[in-house]
Amino acid sequence: MDRNFSEGHKFITLTYEKEDVTLDESARDFENWVKRMRERYGDFKYLAVRSFQKRGTIHYHLLADLPTIPRAELADGTFRDIWGHGSVLVKRIYSLPMVERRNKLKLDLLKNLRNFKADERSYGKRLFLQSKNLIVPPTIKGHFDELMERLKANGYVPKLMDSYSFETEFLGTIQLGTYRLTKQE
């Protein structure tokens, strides 16, 4: 999120009007929506999370770096009609601070992600959807202490920005940390 989306980008919710839409049906609808959006507004990046509403129907929450959408298209239903399956809510992102896990938007997306994963209908399905043009941070695997020593040996100073821990049934306590690396001069 932090590398791809910032203030001014959009937070969009796509909701179905009809009841009991299957995950496969919604996946096709979402892909078609992305194609129609790109035809109208050009290429854009997105990160989408699915969730089930209380009435059982799926809906999407997504971040997108769409350009400004003309007010007329929002007012006359043109933007909603591109979705074509129900309501569309568009909000401009006003705050998305780097590595701030208390950010309401991030917490809402994570809550929806957890709820989707906990639902048996999501079994075997991708947890979130993303465009291919996202900037993906590199993943470095290994023992924490060895990684920190290797970073320091290469002239980097890791600074802990955020820390979070949680319990899991099979692995016990998981500790997550977000670090900012600066190059020593």
Side-chain angles (χ1 to χ4, degrees):
M1 273 177 69
D2 296 321
R3 288 182 169 226
N4 293 281
F5 305 103
S6 60
E7 292 180 17
H9 290 158
K10 310 295 183 289
F11 176 65
I12 302 170
T13 302
L14 304 173
T15 305
Y16 279 94
E17 192 173 288
K18 71 180 190 174
E19 303 290 327
D20 298 322
V21 177
T22 68
L23 280 169
D24 291 336
E25 180 183 357
S26 73
R28 284 189 303 276
D29 292 341
F30 183 79
E31 287 176 22
N32 289 331
W33 176 79
V34 169
K35 289 175 189 174
R36 290 190 300 271
M37 289 291 291
R38 287 194 167 131
E39 287 171 5
R40 183 155 191 103
Y41 300 107
D43 196 25
F44 66 96
K45 292 190 250 183
Y46 68 85
L47 178 64
V49 174
R50 299 172 282 191
S51 63
F52 294 102
Q53 295 178 302
K54 289 179 183 170
R55 63 187 174 111
T57 300
I58 195 158
H59 66 262
Y60 291 86
H61 299 284
L62 66 139
L63 296 172
D65 69 345
L66 286 166
T68 300
I69 300 162
R71 285 191 189 273
E73 292 187 13
L74 293 171
D76 69 9
T78 302
F79 189 75
R80 183 193 66 237
D81 291 344
I82 295 171
W83 171 236
H85 300 287
S87 65
V88 176
L89 178 64
V90 181
K91 293 181 180 179
R92 185 173 176 268
I93 298 172
Y94 289 100
S95 175
L96 192 66
M98 181 79 165
V99 301
E100 177 59 62
R101 71 177 157 104
R102 290 167 295 283
N103 178 280
K104 183 176 176 358
L105 178 58
K106 289 182 183 181
L107 291 174
D108 287 348
L109 289 173
L110 287 170
K111 181 185 84 167
N112 283 307
L113 196 75
R114 283 188 202 107
N115 290 344
F116 179 76
K117 183 67 176 167
D119 193 293
E120 64 185 29
R121 294 171 284 184
S122 71
Y123 181 75
K125 303 294 182 187
R126 290 178 45 211
L127 199 50
F128 59 89
L129 308 169
Q130 67 186 45
S131 57
K132 293 178 183 172
N133 56 354
L134 288 182
I135 299 167
V136 180
T139 301
I140 303 170
K141 295 181 180 182
H143 189 273
F144 178 80
D145 293 332
E146 292 171 4
L147 292 173
M148 286 296 160
E149 287 303 316
R150 201 165 81 203
L151 286 169
K152 291 174 186 174
N154 288 319
Y156 289 97
V157 177
K159 179 182 176 190
L160 181 64
M161 302 300 291
D162 195 16
S163 178
Y164 178 68
S165 64
F166 58 94
E167 295 294 321
T168 64
E169 183 178 346
F170 300 105
L171 299 174
T173 302
I174 303 289
Q175 179 74 34
L176 300 175
T178 303
Y179 290 83
R180 176 173 284 152
L181 298 177
T182 54
K183 189 80 167 164
Q184 266 183 338
E185 295 187 26

